Amino acid sequence: MAEWPDYFTGILAGSPGRSYAVRTDGAAWRLRGGPGLFTVDHGADDAADVIVSGPPTPVLRWLWGRERTGEPSGVTVEGAPEAIEELRRCIVTSTQ
């Protein structure tokens, strides 16, 4: 398991604490975030607040914010809009 509690302090300070799942063909990761918490571990989480799934390349494009406009991506994103937005803010912070 990897942990980065301090890296996301500003983004997650007001978070109620959420879990995220990212799934591709043959691989899955669990992410947990909240005040003072951000972890990534291998494995699926069917009860996650946000589930991102699809073929590997489109999921990677979604995670990096590089979806191709006007083309079907094959990525499914399930969850409350505010939880999805929190995940996106964490991704932007970690990839800048």
Side-chain angles (χ1 to χ4, degrees):
M1 175 174 29
E3 299 182 37
W4 299 276
D6 298 330
Y7 199 70
F8 300 99
T9 300
I11 295 168
L12 299 173
S15 174
R18 293 190 170 102
S19 62
Y20 311 95
V22 177
R23 293 188 225 148
T24 65
D25 303 334
W29 298 268
R30 288 185 303 262
L31 298 84
R32 298 200 188 286
L37 170 72
F38 193 86
T39 64
V40 179
D41 202 1
H42 291 282
D45 183 352
D46 294 331
D49 296 300
V50 175
I51 299 173
V52 180
S53 60
T57 299
V59 166
L60 185 61
R61 283 191 186 122
W62 186 91
L63 290 169
W64 281 85
R66 292 193 167 93
E67 302 96 331
R68 292 186 175 163
T69 306
E71 292 182 23
S73 70
V75 175
T76 301
V77 181
E78 303 171 59
E82 63 275 7
I84 295 168
E85 179 57 30
E86 184 176 274
L87 174 60
R88 293 291 255 191
R89 285 193 314 267
C90 288
I91 291 168
V92 166
T93 296
S94 66
T95 59
Q96 298 301 311

